[in-house]
Amino acid sequence: MQIRDLPYSDPGEPDVRSGPRFLLWLGRNQLGGQLKAMAWGLLQQCGIAGLPLGVGVAVQAVVDRSGSRLALAGGLVALLGAAIAIGETMLHRTAVTNWITAAARVQQLLARKTAELGSVLTRRVAAGEVVAVSTGDVEKIGWFVEALSRFAAAAATLVIVCVGLVVYQPALGVVVAIGMPFLALGALPLLPRATRRADVQREKAGRATELASDTVAGLRVLRGIGGEDLFLGRYREASQEVRRAAVRSARMWSLISAVQVLLPGILLVTVIWYGAALARDGRIQVGELVTVYSAVTLLLFPLRHFEEIAMAYSFSRPSARRAARVLALQRVVEPSGTDTGVSSRAAVEARSGDLYDPATGLLAPEGRFTAVVCGDPDAAGRLAERLGGHGADADAEGQPSALLGGVALDGLPLDAARAAVLVQDKDPVLLSGTLRELLDVPSSGRVTADAALAAAQCGDVLDALAQASADSDGDPMRTRITERGRSLSGGQRQRLALARSLVTDPAVLVLDEPTSAVDSHTESRVADGVRRLRAGRTTVVFSSSPLLLDLADRVVLVHDGEVVSVGVHRDLLRTDARYRAVVTRETDDEQDGGEEPKALETLEETA
């Protein structure tokens, strides 16, 4: 896989049973790239390790006054230099490719899981944790994947050089071969403690990132209640905990680095002392001593990769564990014994028909405008998500799935379920980009952007966008919208999000409080525009607004998780006290005093 070929057409199905298994799965999927990097690493490091041989031959040629051997040594050094240059260049190229492609694979998996779970994701894991996984954790995982091939090349180089030294000069080569395992594994007893400290640091850093992300997301609310200083103090305390954990982790890694310097130094002193004694006795030549000494010195370079791979694994393991935890989340928790296998024909047929929720008894007839009144806003949001087939939480295991045309939405393929039912929650997100890009979404093509904007009463929004940027030449469709639409008011963001949902023209559109942030006159026009544009299409709106409810073909009251009343708004207002209490916000005293005529009078005056 090359960088130019990204993104992957299919990132695959990851092994998410644990962090190490996830890393192993990534490594297997990049086996070709790892082998290439290892081959180039062997060329580079064997070239470096071979330089002492050329130097030793040159020194001995000078001692023996042999010009031919000196020229041979020069040619050997030049050849090794070329091998080092080529190996270093290609190793860097392939290693960075492995890093980027591994990170891209993880990010695609996270993006796919986010799209699959929808708003359910942030109810199962904190939004800040998802941000931490998709940024810092992806980088750490990529680092380990990239370092793995260089470590493999370094380990192979150590074995090759040790064997070569034993063959070249057995007396000194045996000393190096015996000492090298102690050098490579000398820091191993310290790694568990270093790993634990690194895990603590990563966990604290992840919590600090979550806190910062959540604080930024709620900054406007915090300012409204004067809570900036409180959350600033909490983040300052969290960041200091991260700093202290990082210092403790760094102390352990500095100790490991010291061991990695001390042990090779001891081996080097031993080789020099023993080699000098052998040279003095005439058992070895000076050039051979120089060769072995230089080889031991240069072996410090591949030994550094042992420390690096230990650090990379220690930092990537908790990152991989967090990524695996997010990727292991499932779209639904199926009741035991439920068969979710649905044929492609059933998936197509399920795009039409009545929408029914067995858990509450809510029925939205095909082609009708159904309004749902629910006194608990949180319960309304959960019901809206279930109607869209987004799945139930883990604590709702066994809860039946919503049915569209008699087919369970949880059993449909994800793309079919999303095409069949679109759910717009009460806090929709506007991505940054131009208005044209915002409305450029998968759709049936039957509803134009202009028609959707008109139905959502976005005329004032278009005027504001036309004046907002000189670069757009007065064209609101070319005006850029800032992240989450922060430059717009709440009502403007809500209507633009509604227009985006209307453009998609799904078979079933579920709207959760689509007009909660607009005034009553705009709300009435929006409700009428949606009803006209969605004529003949199934629309479900969760709202307690009398203006919107009065335009609905069918109104359903859900109380304590069950449908308790069905009818039209004006009839329910007269006959159902619970419905009247939710819609008109009446107190118990007002209900006892028979205030329903006043509610109807108010509705008629507003209409």
Short mmCIF file of all heavy atoms in Angstrom, two decimals, residues 490-492 494 513-519:
data_model
loop_
_atom_site.label_atom_id
_atom_site.label_comp_id
_atom_site.label_asym_id
_atom_site.label_seq_id
_atom_site.Cartn_x
_atom_site.Cartn_y
_atom_site.Cartn_z
N GLY A 490 -28.60 30.16 17.16
CA GLY A 490 -29.11 28.81 17.34
C GLY A 490 -30.25 28.49 16.39
O GLY A 490 -30.31 27.40 15.82
N GLY A 491 -31.15 29.46 16.17
CA GLY A 491 -32.25 29.23 15.24
C GLY A 491 -31.78 29.08 13.82
O GLY A 491 -32.32 28.26 13.05
N GLN A 492 -30.77 29.85 13.42
CA GLN A 492 -30.24 29.73 12.06
C GLN A 492 -29.57 28.38 11.85
O GLN A 492 -29.76 27.74 10.81
CB GLN A 492 -29.25 30.88 11.80
CG GLN A 492 -29.91 32.24 11.69
CD GLN A 492 -28.89 33.35 11.59
OE1 GLN A 492 -27.78 33.27 12.11
NE2 GLN A 492 -29.26 34.44 10.91
N GLN A 494 -30.25 25.65 13.41
CA GLN A 494 -31.30 24.63 13.42
C GLN A 494 -32.02 24.54 12.08
O GLN A 494 -32.30 23.45 11.57
CB GLN A 494 -32.30 24.95 14.53
CG GLN A 494 -33.21 23.80 14.91
CD GLN A 494 -34.03 24.12 16.13
OE1 GLN A 494 -34.75 25.11 16.16
NE2 GLN A 494 -33.92 23.28 17.16
N GLU A 513 -37.44 17.82 17.92
CA GLU A 513 -37.51 19.25 18.25
C GLU A 513 -36.84 20.11 17.17
O GLU A 513 -35.86 20.81 17.44
CB GLU A 513 -36.86 19.51 19.61
CG GLU A 513 -37.57 18.86 20.79
CD GLU A 513 -38.91 19.52 21.11
OE1 GLU A 513 -39.23 20.56 20.51
OE2 GLU A 513 -39.64 18.96 21.94
N PRO A 514 -37.33 20.09 15.93
CA PRO A 514 -36.66 20.81 14.85
C PRO A 514 -36.86 22.33 14.90
O PRO A 514 -36.17 23.05 14.18
CB PRO A 514 -37.32 20.23 13.60
CG PRO A 514 -38.70 19.84 14.04
CD PRO A 514 -38.54 19.38 15.46
N THR A 515 -37.80 22.83 15.75
CA THR A 515 -38.09 24.27 15.78
C THR A 515 -37.98 24.84 17.19
O THR A 515 -38.59 25.86 17.49
CB THR A 515 -39.50 24.53 15.23
OG1 THR A 515 -40.46 23.79 16.00
CG2 THR A 515 -39.59 24.12 13.77
N SER A 516 -37.22 24.20 18.05
CA SER A 516 -37.16 24.64 19.45
C SER A 516 -36.45 25.97 19.62
O SER A 516 -36.63 26.64 20.64
CB SER A 516 -36.46 23.57 20.30
OG SER A 516 -35.14 23.34 19.81
N ALA A 517 -35.62 26.40 18.64
CA ALA A 517 -34.82 27.61 18.79
C ALA A 517 -35.33 28.77 17.94
O ALA A 517 -34.61 29.75 17.76
CB ALA A 517 -33.36 27.32 18.44
N VAL A 518 -36.56 28.67 17.41
CA VAL A 518 -37.08 29.75 16.57
C VAL A 518 -38.34 30.32 17.22
O VAL A 518 -38.97 29.70 18.08
CB VAL A 518 -37.41 29.24 15.14
CG1 VAL A 518 -36.16 28.70 14.47
CG2 VAL A 518 -38.49 28.17 15.18
N ASP A 519 -38.73 31.53 16.79
CA ASP A 519 -39.92 32.16 17.34
C ASP A 519 -41.17 31.50 16.78
O ASP A 519 -41.13 30.72 15.83
CB ASP A 519 -39.91 33.66 17.03
CG ASP A 519 -39.86 33.92 15.54
OD1 ASP A 519 -40.91 33.79 14.88
OD2 ASP A 519 -38.76 34.25 15.02
#
